[in-house]
Amino acid sequence: MTNKIHAHIPYPQLSQHLASLVEQRINPEIYLPAEALDCMVWEELAVQAQTLHAAGLATTIHSPFMDLNPGAQDVSIREATRRRFRQVFKAAELLLPKVIVVHPGFDELHYGDNRQGWLNNSIDFWREFVPRARELDTVIAVENIFEKEPSTLRALLEEIGEPCFRHCFDGGHWNMFTTVQLEEWFAELGPYIAESHIHDNHGQTDEHLPLGEGEIDFDLLFGLLKHYSPDAIWTIEAHSIEHLQRALKNIDKYL
């Protein structure tokens, strides 16, 4: 398995699948939900991390996101989000991830004319974590979720202006929510991409299908990734073993 490919795995399932990951040479993107962070046995995580590192596998982290928002207007929500990301970076000290994926928390329907307020709060929030990312030699990558077009994410990336603060392009979310073509998105954010989440859908729900089983043009997508961000990690976001195996087979021709 090439070092470019990672696969999504929720942390509560890591112990169960750790031996298989090592045997199949699959680099994990470890999702850390809030409940897992709250009951984390840090000594156990250290052993798991050592097993992955000893096997020569790379890791990435997907941060918690439910109910969190780095740019929230409510200071208590920002503080809850800050607490979660401090936990994430404690885990990162052990896992040594290449990338830490985060959700931005922006939704045009909620923020409307207060986009700049959200942006200012988000910029201030990330100022705490960018130095930690630099120290750990990792990259914070902000994923597109509900964004209709790339201007808000680009403004955030430009204002932070650090090589360790980049973009995670999620093709499934783009297909559901975005109103611009792939070429336009990549023209704006392609050089910022440190990771891409690979899954497919039919544009209505977040189906997380194996690539090639929905309607996304992956010939175009991978061509743009190779052109704009050739060193980006490709993470298969499958939600079952069966989907992961089909996705690994389908992605092979793009490697």
Side-chain angles (χ1 to χ4, degrees):
M1 183 56 56
T2 176
N3 205 46
K4 179 185 282 289
I5 302 298
H6 288 236
H8 167 89
I9 182 165
Y11 180 72
Q13 299 176 23
L14 181 60
S15 292
Q16 176 187 354
H17 296 292
L18 186 57
S20 179
L21 291 170
V22 170
E23 180 182 354
Q24 297 184 56
R25 310 292 305 156
I26 297 175
N27 304 302
E29 172 149 292
I30 300 170
Y31 169 48
L32 297 171
E35 56 272 21
L37 289 169
D38 281 341
C39 63
M40 179 70 71
V41 179
W42 297 98
E43 294 80 7
E44 181 178 357
L45 178 62
V47 172
Q48 293 165 331
Q50 180 56 38
T51 299
L52 292 167
H53 298 154
L57 296 179
T59 66
T60 54
I61 287 175
H62 195 304
S63 301
F65 57 89
M66 291 297 292
D67 305 319
L68 304 178
N69 191 339
Q73 299 301 292
D74 188 331
V75 65
S76 64
I77 302 300
R78 294 202 305 276
E79 286 309 306
T81 307
R82 195 180 309 275
R83 174 176 174 269
R84 289 300 180 203
F85 280 104
R86 287 170 179 164
Q87 291 175 310
V88 167
F89 272 85
K90 184 176 180 180
E93 291 174 3
L94 299 172
L95 289 167
L96 303 177
K98 291 181 174 296
V99 177
I100 299 172
V101 176
V102 302
H103 285 196
F106 181 78
D107 182 348
E108 184 178 305
L109 290 175
H110 282 93
Y111 288 96
D113 294 336
N114 204 18
R115 171 183 177 273
Q116 191 61 46
W118 176 90
L119 187 59
N120 291 341
N121 287 339
S122 190
I123 291 165
D124 180 69
F125 179 94
W126 292 116
R127 297 277 187 212
E128 173 182 340
F129 296 100
V130 164
R132 292 291 294 119
R134 195 184 303 119
E135 290 169 6
L136 292 173
D137 194 25
T138 190
V139 173
I140 299 168
V142 184
E143 180 180 353
N144 58 298
I145 308 297
F146 303 116
E147 285 76 11
K148 293 182 179 178
E149 44 79 28
S151 66
T152 303
L153 290 181
R154 176 154 185 166
L156 177 61
L157 291 162
E158 288 180 341
E159 186 62 32
I160 298 294
E162 291 278 354
C164 62
F165 194 82
R166 286 294 183 253
H167 175 38
C168 174
F169 176 72
D170 188 299
H173 296 161
W174 166 82
N175 195 46
M176 289 175 62
F177 300 113
T178 307
T179 57
V180 302
Q181 297 299 309
L182 268 178
E183 296 92 336
E184 183 177 343
W185 188 281
F186 273 78
E188 291 292 319
L189 293 183
Y192 290 98
I193 294 175
E195 178 173 335
S196 182
H197 283 167
I198 307 300
H199 55 105
D200 210 344
N201 63 52
H202 294 90
Q204 302 301 314
T205 60
D206 204 11
E207 297 170 273
H208 282 267
L209 298 172
L211 65 154
E213 298 187 13
E215 63 178 30
I216 296 173
D217 184 348
F218 281 97
D219 290 341
L220 176 59
L221 173 54
F222 283 117
L224 290 167
L225 282 169
K226 290 175 181 179
H227 175 74
Y228 283 100
S229 43
D231 297 324
I233 288 169
W234 299 353
T235 297
I236 296 172
E237 277 203 323
H239 287 178
S240 72
I241 297 296
E242 293 76 17
H243 279 192
L244 174 60
Q245 295 303 325
R246 295 211 301 269
L248 288 171
K249 180 180 178 180
N250 294 349
I251 205 171
D252 189 61
K253 70 175 183 176
Y254 296 109
L255 298 175

